[in-house]
Amino acid sequence: MSELIRLSLSLEEPLYNKLDQIVNRSGYKNRSEFIRDMIRERLVSDEWESGKDVVGTITLIYDHGKRNLNMKLNKLQHSTHHIVLASTHVHLTEDLCAEMIMLKGKADEVKHMADNLGQQMGVLHSGLIMGTTGDILSKE
Ligand code: NI
């Protein structure tokens, strides 16, 4: 583990109070842990803007009864197989399916795939979790 460096910072009182509220509400053990996570969030967000490889997870909720939808979703994933790491299909109800697709590739490709899948007729909801390969978090 890296050496810990202590720092002090200055905040306006209302902002300090908000920080305390967020930390308490979120169940963080202390402010340091919250600020570490906030920095990591920012690094991941920057990674998505940098053109480097990222990891993303797309979650789709869709009606499998919609004509050709299963086939279209499958075809789209095959056409970008070089960035698809894994996918899981869950039968939610008699009509509805949930599919989670994990991707690793350039941010633009992953976003494009999420948009493409989400826009298919019969897809009721689509979400993209923007994750990281971990490189930016583990390097010195
Ligand atoms: Ni299903």
Side-chain angles (χ1 to χ4, degrees), residues 44-45 47-48 53-57 103 110 128-134 136:
V44 172
S45 159
E47 190 180 44
W48 275 76
D53 275 359
V54 296
V55 168
T57 307
L103 306 117
V110 175
L128 171 63
I129 303 284
M130 296 184 181
T132 175
T133 61
I136 48 158

Side-chain angles (χ1 to χ4, degrees), residues 2 7 9 14 17 26-28 32 34 40 49 69-70 72 80 84-87 93 95 105-106 113 122 128 135 139:
S2 308
L7 66 122
L9 58 122
N17 291 336
S26 310
Y28 278 93
S32 296
F34 173 75
R40 290 184 190 114
E49 302 299 323
L69 182 57
N70 268 328
K72 279 186 204 160
T80 53
V84 176
L85 294 176
S87 68
T93 67
D95 300 318
K106 302 291 174 218
M113 178 70 162
L128 171 63
D135 278 358
K139 284 181 183 161

Side-chain angles (χ1 to χ4, degrees), residues 94-105:
E94 252 178 56
D95 300 318
L96 298 179
C97 302
E99 197 156 323
M100 280 70 71
I101 305 147
M102 195 174 183
L103 306 117
K104 182 182 174 187

Side-chain angles (χ1 to χ4, degrees), residues 4-74:
L4 287 179
I5 294 168
R6 294 193 178 279
L7 66 122
S8 65
L9 58 122
S10 308
L11 294 174
E12 291 80 9
E13 193 179 354
L15 198 56
Y16 170 83
N17 291 336
K18 298 259 184 226
L19 170 68
D20 251 10
Q21 284 169 16
I22 296 169
V23 169
N24 291 333
R25 199 176 52 223
S26 310
Y28 278 93
K29 277 183 267 169
N30 53 55
R31 290 181 211 112
S32 296
E33 203 52 56
F34 173 75
I35 288 169
R36 282 183 201 114
D37 274 355
M38 214 167 63
I39 294 167
R40 290 184 190 114
E41 278 296 321
R42 178 56 190 261
L43 287 168
V44 172
S45 159
D46 286 352
E47 190 180 44
W48 275 76
E49 302 299 323
S50 72
K52 292 180 190 154
D53 275 359
V54 296
V55 168
T57 307
I58 301 167
T59 302
L60 302 173
I61 305 297
Y62 65 90
D63 180 348
H64 73 89
K66 205 80 187 175
R67 200 172 139 81
N68 293 333
L69 182 57
N70 268 328
M71 196 190 70
K72 279 186 204 160
L73 297 177
N74 197 25

